[in-house]
Amino acid sequence: MSKIPATRQGHRPVAIVGFSQNHSVRSDSTSNEVEMLLPVIHDVFDRAGLTKDEIGFICSGSTDYLIGGPFSFVTALDAIGVWPPKSESHVEMDGAWALYEAFVRLQEGDLDTALVYGFGKSSLGDLDEIFNLQLDPYTMAPLHPDLVSLAALQARAVIDQGLGTEEDFARIAARSRRDAMNNPFAQIKRDDDVATLMSEPYLVSPLRRHCLPPISDGASAIILAAGEKAFDYAEHPAWITGIDHRIETHAFGARNLAVSTSTAKAGAIAGVGEGHVDVAELLTPFAHQELIVKAALGLADSVSINPSGGPLSANPLMSGGLNRLGEAAQAILDGRATRTVAHATGGPLLQQNLVCVLEGA
Amino acid sequence: MANRVAVIGIGQTHHRSKREDVSIAGLVREAAQRALDDAGCTWADIDAVVVGKAPDMFEGIMMPEHYLAAALGAVGKPMFRVHTAGSVGGSTALVAAHLVAAGLHQRVLTVAFEKQSDSDAMWALSVPQPFSAPLLAGAGGYFAPIIRAYMRRSGAPNDVGMRVAVKDRLQALKNPYAHLHLPDISMKMVEESVLLWDPLHYLESCPSSDGAAAMVLGSEQAATVAESATGRRPAWVHGMAMRSEPTMFAGRDQVNPQAGRDCAKDVYAQAGITNPRAELDCAEVYVPFSWYEPMWLENLGFAAQGEGWKLTESGATALDGGDIPWNCSGGVLSSNPIGASGMLRFLEAALQVRGMAGEHQVEGARKALGHAYGGGAQFFAMWIVGSERPN
């Protein structure tokens, strides 16, 4: 008689047994990436009660362009101290996808544990300049649309299609900032009323400042364990009972920007709708994106969305998605929830999305 | 418990210094389409796409896989992006292979590329980084002192590197996809080329290439379907391993890295190999600078410590007459689309055991090693492929 819930896609059961994040800050000017990661790595090992020598596989997520140099993950590995050498890999994606790679690696049965981490120092450069380089290099990047203007196009599509209003955006921001007051790791913590937020001038219509995420430096780490082994490290492991990710085209004109078909597909495969959801942690850095992802996942109004404060309160690039997985798992690890959903995104305007369902026993 | 993995389709571009006739999407699509054709399948048959490339600054595009989603038929599918420095082409193939081994997918398309002519790799490798002293040397400047340490340690004669440079370029003449075709290559020509980083001459260094590599990796069932459709047999994965070691650690031996030795040990154990020189028929090993052949011969257990250069000197690693030919395709020394260079090693090993390597085929090859390394010789990815289905 097993305490492990059934997985939806026939996967070997794998659980999140430890999560650690550092305090998101506008600029961590005294630490390099290794120094930012070190406390998080130590803390996650302490929380799960194991050492690096017990880890079978390591995977990380980061992007070179934030630091403006090649191989930012290379020295970051020094935060672990991989000696003797370890089986290790890196994705140029949010740490959520590093978790996916580690999850896949644990399916084969020869390894039982993995360390996953993500990190990013958004404060080092100009994010509009940097993320412009992520657009189609031949047809879009030369036009140099900035991050906020692109998001505004998407927000406008949401409004035009009757899927949300500017007041909805403000309500989402107010709720996120208020919830963040209970999250020691969040960056923007305020008790704002919607009317005050609505009185802000437009930054780029229809977006006001509160519709935007803060700029954050941050890092986080997760320990995965498979099968019965998970109970060695956590009393209430957060089991991954469904996980999938999908991508859409890069051509903005070929997408309905107000709808996320990739989230809907990944969510259906992960089985989001096949049970109640206590908590959903969504990587929706612009307020209107929460409406898009919530609709794509078919989440009821009763679902608690981003009780951590979410990306509108702290938006560490490349670990933000991993944080959603961590926060959704922590609710189960703490015994506060039994079934949670985590979402991560990559690429411009929700181009690529990952959805994970986590369950307690 | 892991499922068997087969290489059922292989494709690559003709590697050139500048592919101005195609966009990046056109470049990767060319390799991918060839892999699909070889596998006898269409874009619709692919379940997931795994892309790899070296630092994004090599083209100046951040996470270019997003822009490539449509070109690689990934819309509506899972798409994944790997980056593990120079080893990335190999790591990318392994990440894709694990998706099949884990039983998640039937057919995974894996693609690696570099379009070096879009930017400047020397610049991208040398930009000053916060909190660290700039190297300003590129890869050759980084590895040259390590090579000199090897020469001193092993007592190898000065001309061993030049022999590798000549051998690999002669072998490249038999590979129509290779970037460098130098029919007049000779020891004298290498020696008279500019000394870039002592002891490395210009012709002992890899070129800068535009190019892409692609494979369709399939389950046992997918392999059966592909073979009956195309009549071409698959290569079977007999072992795969990755190892990494830290950068700032005084206990490292960069001449003979522990991570490389451990990775080889792991992959040999999986494939049941105890004597790689005797039991493998050939190897495609990441040799971007000539001297890395003798160094990796030792690191990978083909020769005892300090003896690698003797194998090279004796001609043991030559396609023509050697008992353990290395880099029959011409290797990284003849084609270097950086992000794809590791995958080319993996792919060429698979071509050999499928008997499809054309003029550079090792007759009757049944087992081959594919190898890639990256960073400051600290990231390793390897696989062993065979003509027979593993037990």
Side-chain angles (χ1 to χ4, degrees):
Chain A
M1 110 124 218
S2 172
K3 291 178 285 179
I4 302 176
T7 57
R8 189 170 183 277
Q9 298 149 271
H11 293 141
R12 179 188 190 204
V14 171
I16 294 177
V17 296
F19 166 55
S20 181
Q21 60 184 316
N22 62 8
H23 294 84
S24 280
V25 292
R26 174 60 182 85
S27 175
D28 183 355
S29 55
T30 58
S31 307
N32 66 16
E33 289 160 316
V34 176
E35 290 161 339
M36 221 164 62
L37 269 168
L38 260 170
V40 171
I41 299 294
H42 280 275
D43 186 49
V44 81
F45 282 135
D46 285 348
R47 282 166 185 262
L50 80 173
T51 68
K52 67 179 164 68
D53 297 330
E54 293 168 66
I55 292 293
F57 183 67
I58 299 170
C59 197
S60 65
S62 70
T63 182
D64 283 345
Y65 261 105
L66 289 183
I67 198 170
F71 310 130
S72 62
F73 62 93
V74 171
T75 43
L77 188 57
D78 283 10
I80 321 294
V82 281
W83 195 267
K86 286 272 187 194
S87 183
E88 185 266 348
S89 187
H90 171 263
V91 296
E92 195 81 356
M93 308 174 89
D94 186 286
W97 275 268
L99 180 139
Y100 185 84
E101 181 177 335
F103 170 82
V104 171
R105 187 63 192 84
L106 294 183
Q107 291 302 306
E108 289 161 59
D110 56 330
L111 302 175
D112 295 324
T113 53
L115 167 69
V116 180
Y117 59 95
F119 60 94
K121 289 203 72 169
S122 312
S123 63
L124 291 174
D126 176 336
L127 295 181
D128 280 329
E129 293 286 339
I130 291 169
F131 279 89
N132 184 64
L133 298 171
Q134 196 181 41
L135 304 174
D136 180 323
Y138 303 96
T139 65
M140 188 59 77
L143 302 174
H144 221 288
D146 60 274
L147 277 170
V148 180
S149 298
L150 279 176
L153 285 174
Q154 188 175 38
R156 179 61 66 196
V158 168
I159 293 169
D160 288 350
Q161 292 174 42
L163 302 171
T165 64
E166 293 177 31
E167 271 202 13
D168 290 334
F169 306 166
R171 270 192 288 271
I172 287 167
R175 189 208 67 219
S176 297
R177 291 168 170 197
R178 201 175 308 120
D179 286 346
M181 293 168 76
N182 298 316
N183 179 359
F185 303 100
Q187 191 176 333
I188 308 293
K189 311 170 187 210
R190 289 160 58 150
D191 192 3
D192 292 320
D193 63 74
V194 172
T196 311
L197 293 180
M198 286 298 286
S199 69
E200 287 176 0
Y202 286 123
L203 205 59
V204 179
S205 171
L207 299 181
R208 299 176 170 86
R209 187 148 206 94
H210 63 260
C211 302
L212 276 54
I215 293 171
S216 313
D217 286 355
S220 58
I222 275 176
I223 306 273
L224 294 179
E228 295 290 336
K229 195 101 180 163
F231 294 106
D232 292 353
Y233 309 118
E235 193 182 344
H236 307 292
W239 296 97
I240 296 169
T241 55
I243 188 167
D244 193 59
H245 66 99
R246 301 279 151 169
I247 197 166
E248 296 172 48
T249 178
H250 68 295
F252 297 133
R255 290 168 54 193
N256 177 352
L257 295 177
V259 173
S260 181
T261 55
S262 53
T263 302
K265 191 166 186 178
I269 291 168
V272 172
E274 294 184 12
H276 78 284
V277 177
D278 296 321
V279 169
E281 284 281 345
L282 313 178
L283 186 57
T284 46
F286 292 92
H288 66 271
Q289 293 178 335
E290 181 178 307
L291 298 171
I292 298 172
V293 172
K294 183 187 172 194
L297 294 175
L299 296 175
D301 287 338
S302 59
V303 175
S304 170
I305 294 180
N306 289 340
S308 65
L312 287 168
S313 310
N315 190 37
L317 298 172
M318 311 316 286
S319 63
L322 193 64
N323 280 350
R324 306 280 72 74
L325 284 151
E327 292 283 6
Q330 196 65 52
I332 293 170
L333 288 163
D334 292 346
R336 289 183 276 122
T338 57
R339 192 167 188 271
T340 63
V341 169
H343 158 267
T345 195
L349 303 183
L350 303 174
Q351 187 189 349
Q352 184 176 27
N353 295 280
L354 178 146
V355 180
C356 178
V357 177
L358 294 155
E359 291 183 49
Chain B
M1 186 164 154
N3 298 278
R4 292 191 182 96
V5 183
V7 183
I8 62 174
I10 290 174
Q12 62 181 305
T13 58
H14 290 88
H15 312 295
R16 297 283 178 267
S17 57
K18 287 186 169 93
R19 281 295 305 271
E20 288 174 332
D21 58 320
V22 285
S23 64
I24 291 172
L27 187 76
V28 295
R29 179 116 178 157
E30 194 173 297
Q33 185 65 58
R34 285 174 182 160
L36 291 176
D37 291 347
D38 183 25
C41 67
T42 69
W43 294 96
D45 296 319
I46 298 298
D47 300 320
V49 180
V50 181
V51 176
K53 69 174 299 300
D56 289 355
M57 289 166 74
F58 283 1
E59 284 83 9
I61 304 167
M62 182 188 195
M63 303 173 179
E65 65 281 3
H66 287 114
Y67 135 74
L68 294 172
L72 288 174
V75 172
K77 297 174 184 177
M79 190 180 204
F80 211 82
R81 162 68 196 285
V82 181
H83 176 20
T84 63
S87 61
V88 66
S91 311
T92 304
L94 295 184
V95 171
H98 280 297
L99 288 169
V100 177
L104 267 60
H105 299 302
Q106 287 293 313
R107 287 177 198 83
V108 177
L109 172 67
T110 183
V111 183
F113 74 93
E114 212 69 67
K115 204 161 187 293
Q116 285 211 59
S117 66
D118 279 13
S119 180
D120 182 335
M122 263 302 276
W123 164 78
L125 289 173
S126 304
V127 287
Q129 300 230 11
F131 308 103
S132 58
L135 195 60
L136 299 174
Y142 184 91
F143 290 119
I146 301 171
I147 290 169
R148 288 198 299 275
Y150 170 76
M151 294 169 75
R152 211 163 29 244
R153 214 186 263 189
S154 66
N158 289 339
D159 65 355
V160 172
M162 291 187 275
R163 286 176 186 272
V164 177
V166 171
K167 179 205 68 155
D168 282 4
R169 270 52 172 272
L170 285 173
Q171 290 172 181
L173 295 172
K174 300 180 175 183
N175 177 6
Y177 294 106
H179 174 179
L180 294 185
H181 285 135
L182 305 170
D184 303 327
I185 190 80
S186 66
M187 294 288 279
K188 186 164 180 287
M189 189 172 157
V190 175
E191 194 169 10
E192 286 177 357
S193 65
V194 177
L195 189 66
L196 287 180
W197 308 278
D198 187 13
L200 295 170
H201 296 83
Y202 178 74
L203 284 173
E204 289 180 88
S205 171
C206 52
S208 278
S209 312
D210 288 357
M215 287 187 283
V216 179
L217 304 178
S219 66
E220 208 164 343
Q221 191 193 334
T224 307
V225 172
E227 187 169 0
S228 58
T230 66
R232 291 184 287 271
R233 65 176 198 262
W236 294 94
V237 177
H238 286 238
M240 42 185 178
M242 289 192 244
R243 283 294 184 286
S244 308
E245 65 182 49
T247 306
M248 303 294 180
F249 173 53
R252 286 179 72 197
D253 178 0
Q254 294 197 56
V255 176
N256 189 6
Q258 180 79 40
R261 280 182 287 163
D262 290 358
C263 192
K265 193 177 165 193
D266 187 354
V267 83
Y268 294 154
Q270 292 174 47
I273 285 168
T274 52
N275 181 343
R277 183 176 175 182
E279 294 166 55
L280 293 170
D281 299 295
C282 55
E284 283 281 339
V285 177
Y286 205 100
V287 177
F289 302 103
S290 59
W291 278 92
Y292 270 89
E293 176 174 300
M295 288 163 70
W296 291 151
L297 277 165
E298 296 172 27
N299 189 248
L300 296 171
F302 288 74
Q305 196 143 346
E307 306 278 316
W309 62 270
K310 293 180 184 167
L311 257 66
T312 298
E313 193 176 50
S314 72
T317 57
L319 173 58
D320 186 10
D323 70 282
I324 181 65
W326 271 35
N327 295 322
C328 302
S329 64
V332 183
L333 281 171
S334 305
S335 311
N336 187 35
I338 302 179
S341 293
M343 189 172 286
L344 288 170
R345 309 282 68 72
F346 278 49
L347 163 168
E348 287 285 349
L351 276 179
Q352 288 287 350
V353 299
R354 294 175 80 197
M356 291 175 60
E359 268 193 84
H360 65 281
Q361 177 71 43
V362 174
E363 210 181 311
R366 299 167 65 84
K367 264 189 194 173
L369 167 71
H371 162 283
Y373 86 95
Q378 65 196 113
F379 300 109
F380 293 85
M382 302 178 197
W383 80 3
I384 305 251
V385 282
S387 54
E388 303 294 323
R389 187 166 31 194
N391 293 324

